[in-house]
mmCIF file of all heavy atoms in Angstrom:
data_model
loop_
_atom_site.group_PDB
_atom_site.id
_atom_site.type_symbol
_atom_site.label_atom_id
_atom_site.label_comp_id
_atom_site.label_asym_id
_atom_site.label_seq_id
_atom_site.Cartn_x
_atom_site.Cartn_y
_atom_site.Cartn_z
ATOM 1 N N TYR A 1 99.419 67.235 100.937
ATOM 2 C CA TYR A 1 98.747 67.450 99.654
ATOM 3 C C TYR A 1 98.572 68.933 99.351
ATOM 4 O O TYR A 1 98.608 69.341 98.183
ATOM 5 C CB TYR A 1 97.409 66.720 99.634
ATOM 6 C CG TYR A 1 97.563 65.250 99.342
ATOM 7 C CD1 TYR A 1 97.629 64.314 100.350
ATOM 8 C CD2 TYR A 1 97.681 64.799 98.023
ATOM 9 C CE1 TYR A 1 97.798 62.962 100.085
ATOM 10 C CE2 TYR A 1 97.846 63.448 97.741
ATOM 11 C CZ TYR A 1 97.901 62.543 98.771
ATOM 12 O OH TYR A 1 98.074 61.208 98.492
ATOM 13 N N SER A 2 98.423 69.770 100.383
ATOM 14 C CA SER A 2 98.349 71.211 100.150
ATOM 15 C C SER A 2 99.675 71.737 99.612
ATOM 16 O O SER A 2 99.701 72.584 98.715
ATOM 17 C CB SER A 2 97.992 71.925 101.464
ATOM 18 O OG SER A 2 96.765 71.469 101.979
ATOM 19 N N THR A 3 100.771 71.235 100.149
ATOM 20 C CA THR A 3 102.089 71.658 99.680
ATOM 21 C C THR A 3 102.307 71.256 98.239
ATOM 22 O O THR A 3 102.821 72.043 97.425
ATOM 23 C CB THR A 3 103.187 71.054 100.573
ATOM 24 O OG1 THR A 3 102.957 71.427 101.936
ATOM 25 C CG2 THR A 3 104.564 71.537 100.146
ATOM 26 N N TRP A 4 101.908 70.029 97.875
ATOM 27 C CA TRP A 4 102.091 69.580 96.498
ATOM 28 C C TRP A 4 101.158 70.322 95.535
ATOM 29 O O TRP A 4 101.497 70.506 94.356
ATOM 30 C CB TRP A 4 101.887 68.072 96.391
ATOM 31 C CG TRP A 4 103.082 67.288 96.833
ATOM 32 C CD1 TRP A 4 103.255 66.650 98.025
ATOM 33 C CD2 TRP A 4 104.291 67.064 96.093
ATOM 34 N NE1 TRP A 4 104.496 66.049 98.073
ATOM 35 C CE2 TRP A 4 105.145 66.276 96.914
ATOM 36 C CE3 TRP A 4 104.726 67.447 94.828
ATOM 37 C CZ2 TRP A 4 106.413 65.876 96.492
ATOM 38 C CZ3 TRP A 4 105.997 67.045 94.416
ATOM 39 C CH2 TRP A 4 106.817 66.274 95.229
ATOM 40 N N ILE A 5 99.993 70.760 96.008
ATOM 41 C CA ILE A 5 99.112 71.563 95.158
ATOM 42 C C ILE A 5 99.802 72.866 94.776
ATOM 43 O O ILE A 5 99.809 73.273 93.603
ATOM 44 C CB ILE A 5 97.766 71.836 95.868
ATOM 45 C CG1 ILE A 5 96.902 70.574 95.870
ATOM 46 C CG2 ILE A 5 97.007 72.975 95.176
ATOM 47 C CD1 ILE A 5 95.617 70.711 96.671
ATOM 48 N N PHE A 6 100.410 73.534 95.760
ATOM 49 C CA PHE A 6 101.111 74.778 95.430
ATOM 50 C C PHE A 6 102.378 74.488 94.626
ATOM 51 O O PHE A 6 102.768 75.299 93.777
ATOM 52 C CB PHE A 6 101.457 75.551 96.692
ATOM 53 C CG PHE A 6 102.120 76.866 96.397
ATOM 54 C CD1 PHE A 6 101.394 77.934 95.909
ATOM 55 C CD2 PHE A 6 103.494 77.035 96.571
ATOM 56 C CE1 PHE A 6 102.011 79.138 95.605
ATOM 57 C CE2 PHE A 6 104.114 78.229 96.267
ATOM 58 C CZ PHE A 6 103.366 79.282 95.791
ATOM 59 N N TYR A 7 103.028 73.361 94.877
ATOM 60 C CA TYR A 7 104.208 72.994 94.083
ATOM 61 C C TYR A 7 103.846 72.880 92.604
ATOM 62 O O TYR A 7 104.612 73.310 91.738
ATOM 63 C CB TYR A 7 104.777 71.672 94.596
ATOM 64 C CG TYR A 7 105.882 71.103 93.736
ATOM 65 C CD1 TYR A 7 107.199 71.491 93.901
ATOM 66 C CD2 TYR A 7 105.596 70.163 92.741
ATOM 67 C CE1 TYR A 7 108.212 70.973 93.101
ATOM 68 C CE2 TYR A 7 106.603 69.637 91.941
ATOM 69 C CZ TYR A 7 107.906 70.053 92.124
ATOM 70 O OH TYR A 7 108.894 69.539 91.321
ATOM 71 N N VAL A 8 102.676 72.316 92.299
ATOM 72 C CA VAL A 8 102.230 72.204 90.911
ATOM 73 C C VAL A 8 102.087 73.590 90.294
ATOM 74 O O VAL A 8 102.520 73.832 89.162
ATOM 75 C CB VAL A 8 100.899 71.429 90.839
ATOM 76 C CG1 VAL A 8 100.289 71.536 89.452
ATOM 77 C CG2 VAL A 8 101.119 69.971 91.198
ATOM 78 N N LEU A 9 101.477 74.510 91.039
ATOM 79 C CA LEU A 9 101.329 75.884 90.525
ATOM 80 C C LEU A 9 102.696 76.517 90.294
ATOM 81 O O LEU A 9 102.920 77.181 89.274
ATOM 82 C CB LEU A 9 100.515 76.705 91.521
ATOM 83 C CG LEU A 9 100.215 78.161 91.139
ATOM 84 C CD1 LEU A 9 98.863 78.590 91.690
ATOM 85 C CD2 LEU A 9 101.291 79.118 91.662
ATOM 86 N N LEU A 10 103.616 76.322 91.232
ATOM 87 C CA LEU A 10 104.945 76.906 91.109
ATOM 88 C C LEU A 10 105.693 76.358 89.900
ATOM 89 O O LEU A 10 106.332 77.111 89.148
ATOM 90 C CB LEU A 10 105.735 76.645 92.391
ATOM 91 C CG LEU A 10 107.162 77.185 92.464
ATOM 92 C CD1 LEU A 10 107.179 78.697 92.307
ATOM 93 C CD2 LEU A 10 107.822 76.783 93.773
ATOM 94 N N MET A 11 105.612 75.039 89.680
ATOM 95 C CA MET A 11 106.313 74.447 88.542
ATOM 96 C C MET A 11 105.673 74.848 87.219
ATOM 97 O O MET A 11 106.364 75.007 86.205
ATOM 98 C CB MET A 11 106.332 72.925 88.681
ATOM 99 C CG MET A 11 107.151 72.416 89.863
ATOM 100 S SD MET A 11 108.828 73.101 89.941
ATOM 101 C CE MET A 11 109.479 72.598 88.353
ATOM 102 N N ASP A 12 104.349 75.025 87.195
ATOM 103 C CA ASP A 12 103.690 75.504 85.976
ATOM 104 C C ASP A 12 104.144 76.915 85.643
ATOM 105 O O ASP A 12 104.381 77.249 84.476
ATOM 106 C CB ASP A 12 102.172 75.451 86.157
ATOM 107 C CG ASP A 12 101.432 75.928 84.918
ATOM 108 O OD1 ASP A 12 101.545 75.258 83.862
ATOM 109 O OD2 ASP A 12 100.750 76.967 84.990
ATOM 110 N N LEU A 13 104.309 77.741 86.664
ATOM 111 C CA LEU A 13 104.803 79.103 86.449
ATOM 112 C C LEU A 13 106.245 79.078 85.955
ATOM 113 O O LEU A 13 106.617 79.819 85.030
ATOM 114 C CB LEU A 13 104.694 79.897 87.746
ATOM 115 C CG LEU A 13 105.194 81.335 87.694
ATOM 116 C CD1 LEU A 13 104.363 82.155 86.715
ATOM 117 C CD2 LEU A 13 105.147 81.964 89.079
ATOM 118 N N CYS A 14 107.083 78.215 86.539
ATOM 119 C CA CYS A 14 108.467 78.096 86.083
ATOM 120 C C CYS A 14 108.539 77.611 84.644
ATOM 121 O O CYS A 14 109.432 78.023 83.882
ATOM 122 C CB CYS A 14 109.238 77.141 86.995
ATOM 123 S SG CYS A 14 109.535 77.767 88.661
ATOM 124 N N ALA A 15 107.610 76.731 84.264
ATOM 125 C CA ALA A 15 107.570 76.257 82.875
ATOM 126 C C ALA A 15 107.257 77.406 81.920
ATOM 127 O O ALA A 15 107.855 77.512 80.835
ATOM 128 C CB ALA A 15 106.534 75.146 82.734
ATOM 129 N N GLN A 16 106.353 78.291 82.303
ATOM 130 C CA GLN A 16 106.047 79.441 81.459
ATOM 131 C C GLN A 16 107.245 80.376 81.347
ATOM 132 O O GLN A 16 107.515 80.931 80.279
ATOM 133 C CB GLN A 16 104.843 80.188 82.039
ATOM 134 C CG GLN A 16 103.545 79.391 82.024
ATOM 135 C CD GLN A 16 102.385 80.183 82.587
ATOM 136 O OE1 GLN A 16 102.282 81.388 82.387
ATOM 137 N NE2 GLN A 16 101.510 79.513 83.313
ATOM 138 N N VAL A 17 107.959 80.549 82.445
ATOM 139 C CA VAL A 17 109.161 81.381 82.407
ATOM 140 C C VAL A 17 110.228 80.748 81.508
ATOM 141 O O VAL A 17 110.897 81.437 80.736
ATOM 142 C CB VAL A 17 109.708 81.590 83.839
ATOM 143 C CG1 VAL A 17 111.059 82.299 83.805
ATOM 144 C CG2 VAL A 17 108.718 82.385 84.675
ATOM 145 N N ALA A 18 110.369 79.416 81.602
ATOM 146 C CA ALA A 18 111.358 78.721 80.767
ATOM 147 C C ALA A 18 111.042 78.877 79.290
ATOM 148 O O ALA A 18 111.941 79.121 78.469
ATOM 149 C CB ALA A 18 111.400 77.239 81.148
ATOM 150 N N VAL A 19 109.765 78.754 78.934
ATOM 151 C CA VAL A 19 109.369 78.912 77.530
ATOM 152 C C VAL A 19 109.633 80.346 77.071
ATOM 153 O O VAL A 19 110.140 80.585 75.962
ATOM 154 C CB VAL A 19 107.890 78.534 77.347
ATOM 155 C CG1 VAL A 19 107.416 78.879 75.940
ATOM 156 C CG2 VAL A 19 107.681 77.047 77.622
ATOM 157 N N ALA A 20 109.300 81.323 77.909
ATOM 158 C CA ALA A 20 109.509 82.724 77.535
ATOM 159 C C ALA A 20 110.990 83.058 77.379
ATOM 160 O O ALA A 20 111.368 83.860 76.518
ATOM 161 C CB ALA A 20 108.870 83.639 78.576
ATOM 162 N N LEU A 21 111.838 82.448 78.188
ATOM 163 C CA LEU A 21 113.285 82.691 78.108
ATOM 164 C C LEU A 21 113.981 81.755 77.129
ATOM 165 O O LEU A 21 115.202 81.843 76.956
ATOM 166 C CB LEU A 21 113.922 82.535 79.496
ATOM 167 C CG LEU A 21 113.530 83.580 80.544
ATOM 168 C CD1 LEU A 21 114.125 83.226 81.900
ATOM 169 C CD2 LEU A 21 113.993 84.971 80.119
ATOM 170 N N ARG A 22 113.225 80.815 76.554
ATOM 171 C CA ARG A 22 113.765 79.833 75.602
ATOM 172 C C ARG A 22 114.875 79.015 76.247
ATOM 173 O O ARG A 22 115.965 78.845 75.680
ATOM 174 C CB ARG A 22 114.254 80.532 74.330
ATOM 175 C CG ARG A 22 113.154 81.253 73.572
ATOM 176 C CD ARG A 22 113.676 81.913 72.307
ATOM 177 N NE ARG A 22 112.605 82.599 71.605
ATOM 178 C CZ ARG A 22 112.768 83.287 70.474
ATOM 179 N NH1 ARG A 22 113.991 83.353 69.921
ATOM 180 N NH2 ARG A 22 111.750 83.879 69.902
ATOM 181 N N GLN A 23 114.582 78.533 77.437
ATOM 182 C CA GLN A 23 115.523 77.719 78.195
ATOM 183 C C GLN A 23 114.835 76.417 78.601
ATOM 184 O O GLN A 23 113.626 76.391 78.816
ATOM 185 C CB GLN A 23 115.991 78.459 79.452
ATOM 186 C CG GLN A 23 116.787 79.707 79.212
ATOM 187 C CD GLN A 23 118.229 79.408 78.839
ATOM 188 O OE1 GLN A 23 118.710 78.283 79.007
ATOM 189 N NE2 GLN A 23 118.930 80.408 78.325
ATOM 190 N N PRO A 24 115.585 75.305 78.718
ATOM 191 C CA PRO A 24 114.997 74.099 79.304
ATOM 192 C C PRO A 24 114.601 74.378 80.757
ATOM 193 O O PRO A 24 115.220 75.198 81.435
ATOM 194 C CB PRO A 24 116.124 73.058 79.219
ATOM 195 C CG PRO A 24 117.077 73.595 78.204
ATOM 196 C CD PRO A 24 116.976 75.087 78.276
ATOM 197 N N LEU A 25 113.589 73.697 81.229
ATOM 198 C CA LEU A 25 113.112 73.927 82.582
ATOM 199 C C LEU A 25 114.193 73.645 83.620
ATOM 200 O O LEU A 25 114.253 74.304 84.665
ATOM 201 C CB LEU A 25 111.885 73.049 82.862
ATOM 202 C CG LEU A 25 111.239 73.208 84.238
ATOM 203 C CD1 LEU A 25 110.775 74.640 84.460
ATOM 204 C CD2 LEU A 25 110.078 72.243 84.402
ATOM 205 N N GLU A 26 115.073 72.685 83.334
ATOM 206 C CA GLU A 26 116.121 72.341 84.295
ATOM 207 C C GLU A 26 117.111 73.477 84.504
ATOM 208 O O GLU A 26 117.856 73.479 85.487
ATOM 209 C CB GLU A 26 116.867 71.096 83.836
ATOM 210 C CG GLU A 26 117.574 71.253 82.514
ATOM 211 C CD GLU A 26 118.265 69.986 82.047
ATOM 212 O OE1 GLU A 26 117.998 68.923 82.635
ATOM 213 O OE2 GLU A 26 119.058 70.070 81.100
ATOM 214 N N CYS A 27 117.115 74.465 83.610
ATOM 215 C CA CYS A 27 118.019 75.609 83.748
ATOM 216 C C CYS A 27 117.398 76.756 84.545
ATOM 217 O O CYS A 27 118.068 77.760 84.800
ATOM 218 C CB CYS A 27 118.435 76.131 82.368
ATOM 219 S SG CYS A 27 119.438 74.958 81.417
ATOM 220 N N ILE A 28 116.131 76.624 84.933
ATOM 221 C CA ILE A 28 115.441 77.672 85.686
ATOM 222 C C ILE A 28 115.529 77.357 87.176
ATOM 223 O O ILE A 28 115.239 76.243 87.608
ATOM 224 C CB ILE A 28 113.967 77.780 85.253
ATOM 225 C CG1 ILE A 28 113.876 78.084 83.754
ATOM 226 C CG2 ILE A 28 113.257 78.849 86.051
ATOM 227 C CD1 ILE A 28 114.515 79.391 83.341
ATOM 228 N N SER A 29 115.909 78.339 87.965
ATOM 229 C CA SER A 29 115.997 78.184 89.412
ATOM 230 C C SER A 29 114.613 78.367 90.023
ATOM 231 O O SER A 29 114.091 79.488 90.064
ATOM 232 C CB SER A 29 116.983 79.197 90.002
ATOM 233 O OG SER A 29 116.949 79.157 91.410
ATOM 234 N N VAL A 30 114.035 77.278 90.502
ATOM 235 C CA VAL A 30 112.697 77.341 91.101
ATOM 236 C C VAL A 30 112.728 78.189 92.370
ATOM 237 O O VAL A 30 111.798 78.956 92.648
ATOM 238 C CB VAL A 30 112.184 75.919 91.405
ATOM 239 C CG1 VAL A 30 110.790 75.969 92.024
ATOM 240 C CG2 VAL A 30 112.169 75.074 90.132
ATOM 241 N N GLU A 31 113.789 78.067 93.133
ATOM 242 C CA GLU A 31 113.887 78.838 94.374
ATOM 243 C C GLU A 31 113.906 80.334 94.105
ATOM 244 O O GLU A 31 113.228 81.112 94.800
ATOM 245 C CB GLU A 31 115.151 78.437 95.139
ATOM 246 C CG GLU A 31 115.332 79.202 96.441
ATOM 247 C CD GLU A 31 116.559 78.778 97.226
ATOM 248 O OE1 GLU A 31 117.237 77.834 96.778
ATOM 249 O OE2 GLU A 31 116.821 79.388 98.280
ATOM 250 N N MET A 32 114.635 80.779 93.076
ATOM 251 C CA MET A 32 114.704 82.204 92.791
ATOM 252 C C MET A 32 113.395 82.721 92.213
ATOM 253 O O MET A 32 113.021 83.877 92.444
ATOM 254 C CB MET A 32 115.865 82.494 91.833
ATOM 255 C CG MET A 32 117.240 82.170 92.411
ATOM 256 S SD MET A 32 117.512 82.844 94.071
ATOM 257 C CE MET A 32 117.361 84.602 93.775
ATOM 258 N N VAL A 33 112.672 81.888 91.464
ATOM 259 C CA VAL A 33 111.332 82.284 91.007
ATOM 260 C C VAL A 33 110.428 82.506 92.208
ATOM 261 O O VAL A 33 109.684 83.490 92.287
ATOM 262 C CB VAL A 33 110.747 81.213 90.067
ATOM 263 C CG1 VAL A 33 109.274 81.498 89.787
ATOM 264 C CG2 VAL A 33 111.523 81.180 88.751
ATOM 265 N N PHE A 34 110.503 81.597 93.168
ATOM 266 C CA PHE A 34 109.672 81.711 94.365
ATOM 267 C C PHE A 34 110.040 82.965 95.162
ATOM 268 O O PHE A 34 109.155 83.687 95.650
ATOM 269 C CB PHE A 34 109.852 80.460 95.223
ATOM 270 C CG PHE A 34 108.998 80.435 96.460
ATOM 271 C CD1 PHE A 34 107.636 80.191 96.379
ATOM 272 C CD2 PHE A 34 109.556 80.663 97.704
ATOM 273 C CE1 PHE A 34 106.842 80.174 97.516
ATOM 274 C CE2 PHE A 34 108.784 80.638 98.849
ATOM 275 C CZ PHE A 34 107.417 80.395 98.753
ATOM 276 N N ARG A 35 111.323 83.261 95.290
ATOM 277 C CA ARG A 35 111.754 84.433 96.043
ATOM 278 C C ARG A 35 111.419 85.742 95.328
ATOM 279 O O ARG A 35 111.375 86.814 95.958
ATOM 280 C CB ARG A 35 113.255 84.360 96.310
ATOM 281 C CG ARG A 35 113.661 83.199 97.212
ATOM 282 C CD ARG A 35 115.148 83.204 97.493
ATOM 283 N NE ARG A 35 115.545 82.069 98.303
ATOM 284 C CZ ARG A 35 115.445 82.000 99.627
ATOM 285 N NH1 ARG A 35 114.953 83.041 100.286
ATOM 286 N NH2 ARG A 35 115.831 80.937 100.292
ATOM 287 N N SER A 36 111.182 85.665 94.032
ATOM 288 C CA SER A 36 110.861 86.878 93.265
ATOM 289 C C SER A 36 109.420 87.328 93.446
ATOM 290 O O SER A 36 109.070 88.438 93.026
ATOM 291 C CB SER A 36 111.135 86.637 91.777
ATOM 292 O OG SER A 36 112.470 86.263 91.555
ATOM 293 N N PHE A 37 108.580 86.488 94.063
ATOM 294 C CA PHE A 37 107.179 86.864 94.262
ATOM 295 C C PHE A 37 107.060 88.137 95.106
ATOM 296 O O PHE A 37 106.163 88.952 94.890
ATOM 297 C CB PHE A 37 106.405 85.730 94.932
ATOM 298 C CG PHE A 37 106.252 84.505 94.061
ATOM 299 C CD1 PHE A 37 105.915 83.285 94.613
ATOM 300 C CD2 PHE A 37 106.438 84.586 92.692
ATOM 301 C CE1 PHE A 37 105.775 82.161 93.826
ATOM 302 C CE2 PHE A 37 106.306 83.469 91.882
ATOM 303 C CZ PHE A 37 105.971 82.252 92.461
#
């Protein structure tokens, strides 16, 4: 459950990036967002 809590935060951040880039969320690399931290 701790892992899924952080997963929710990560996906919410990816959603904000997708909106800012005007891309569908499926086009955003979650792994590269995580590595960019």
Side-chain angles (χ1 to χ4, degrees):
Y1 280 95
S2 301
T3 304
W4 280 102
I5 286 174
F6 183 74
Y7 172 86
V8 169
L9 182 147
L10 180 60
M11 294 309 302
D12 180 65
L13 179 63
C14 291
Q16 295 181 37
V17 173
V19 172
L21 293 174
R22 298 181 180 179
Q23 295 282 346
L25 182 59
E26 62 182 12
C27 294
I28 301 299
S29 173
V30 180
E31 180 178 357
M32 296 311 299
V33 170
F34 183 74
R35 295 182 182 278
S36 302
F37 293 162

